[in-house]
Amino acid sequence: MTLEHAIQEALSRSELPLKAAEIVKLVKPAVGRAATLKAVAAVLEALSSSGALNSIAAGTRSKPQPLFTPHSLETAAAALLKHWLHAASKEQQAVKLKAKLPAGLLPFFEVALDSLVSAGAAFVLPGAKPLVYAHKPQPSELLDAPLRRSLQKVLQAVNTVRTPPVGLDDLIAWLDAAPSVPPVATISAPEEADLRDWYDLDRIRSSSVMIPIPQTFARYQAWAAERGGVADSQVLRNLIETLYINGHLLLEPCERPQDLPDHERALLVPMSLGPPGYSWCWIS
């Protein structure tokens, strides 16, 4: 494996943008002594100049430490925000969270945070100083000491005429109680035979033997809906990856996965080398 290929593969498998020194550690097991900091930095500069990678200015003016990623700047900003949010022990002020981003990613803060909220990977509590949580908090988590004292006073007043009396723990349990949701019907996962049927249907209408995985996922969605269930992108992705590893099908890579919408990027299948697979066909 060449140093360039090792670097591209390491970066394609990382959601986070990485420093040159971090990349050296990832590629050294594959290329050995060729993975010097100077050599890796030269390859990264060449890939950035060609547009294959995004270089993000980070560090300080006196000691710059650029970050590198094959993903879009918006995706890189979202990955960093998600990492910081889920590693923190408590919520963070939005303005302070934004200040952590490298200067090159600051313009993408709002859109990146919105994408995390839409994906359920973050929650923003509005206010004069918006707070950002890794997950939507329980209602009781928003009750600070003054609010709890106020609720206790309310309960003391109403309990003089209420039978049976209500305690603060009872009220908090009611606040946090999740609404009952009807269960989603579960269905068995599709098998290789189902995949072959869907491929045959799409191949008839296609000018290429390679069928995009999102197109196959649409077939899976219809198949699951007919059975009263919901399709799971991870199930299809795992099935195609297993068949690829076992040598039953071929994958065609997606050269710029960062340009895909999130729902299509979730279907990409890792390949042994290079970008992840986007289209597929059977091996005759």
Side-chain angles (χ1 to χ4, degrees), residues 18-137:
L18 301 174
K19 301 174 185 176
E22 294 171 325
I23 298 170
V24 168
K25 293 180 181 179
L26 292 175
V27 302
K28 188 173 286 292
V31 298
R33 294 180 179 179
T36 65
L37 183 58
K38 184 177 181 180
V40 169
V43 173
L44 290 171
E45 182 177 354
L47 290 173
S48 299
S49 299
S50 69
L53 295 180
N54 277 315
S55 176
I56 304 164
T60 63
R61 183 174 300 180
S62 60
K63 191 177 180 181
Q65 289 186 310
L67 302 173
F68 299 91
T69 179
H71 308 304
S72 67
L73 296 181
E74 174 188 330
T75 301
L80 286 171
L81 293 178
K82 180 180 178 182
H83 174 72
W84 294 330
L85 277 173
H86 289 256
S89 58
K90 62 178 183 178
E91 70 279 4
Q92 302 181 58
Q93 290 186 12
V95 65
K96 293 183 178 180
L97 189 61
K98 181 177 181 179
K100 292 182 178 181
L101 284 175
L105 295 181
L106 289 176
F108 302 94
F109 173 74
E110 283 77 14
V111 66
L113 183 57
D114 286 344
S115 70
L116 291 178
V117 171
S118 298
F123 178 84
V124 178
L125 184 68
K129 294 181 178 180
L131 296 175
V132 186
Y133 294 76
H135 306 283
K136 185 177 181 179

Side-chain angles (χ1 to χ4, degrees), residues 211-218 236 240 251 267-269 277-280:
I211 302 299
I213 297 175
Q215 189 171 332
T216 306
F217 183 64
L236 179 63
I240 292 178
L251 289 174
L267 289 164
L268 296 179
V269 176
Y278 180 79
S279 300
W280 69 283

Side-chain angles (χ1 to χ4, degrees), residues 173-191:
W174 175 79
L175 289 172
D176 287 343
S180 58
V181 178
V184 177
T186 58
I187 59 172
S188 58
E191 299 178 353

Side-chain angles (χ1 to χ4, degrees), residues 164-233:
V166 177
L168 183 59
D169 289 342
D170 299 321
L171 180 58
I172 289 175
W174 175 79
L175 289 172
D176 287 343
S180 58
V181 178
V184 177
T186 58
I187 59 172
S188 58
E191 299 178 353
E192 181 177 343
D194 300 305
L195 207 59
R196 288 187 177 275
D197 290 341
W198 301 337
Y199 178 85
D200 291 340
L201 291 171
D202 287 328
R203 178 68 184 89
I204 294 173
R205 302 180 180 181
S206 175
S207 59
S208 169
V209 297
M210 304 302 294
I211 302 299
I213 297 175
Q215 189 171 332
T216 306
F217 183 64
R219 293 283 185 189
Y220 173 29
Q221 286 178 305
W223 179 86
E226 289 175 359
R227 290 158 176 76
V230 177
D232 185 340
S233 60

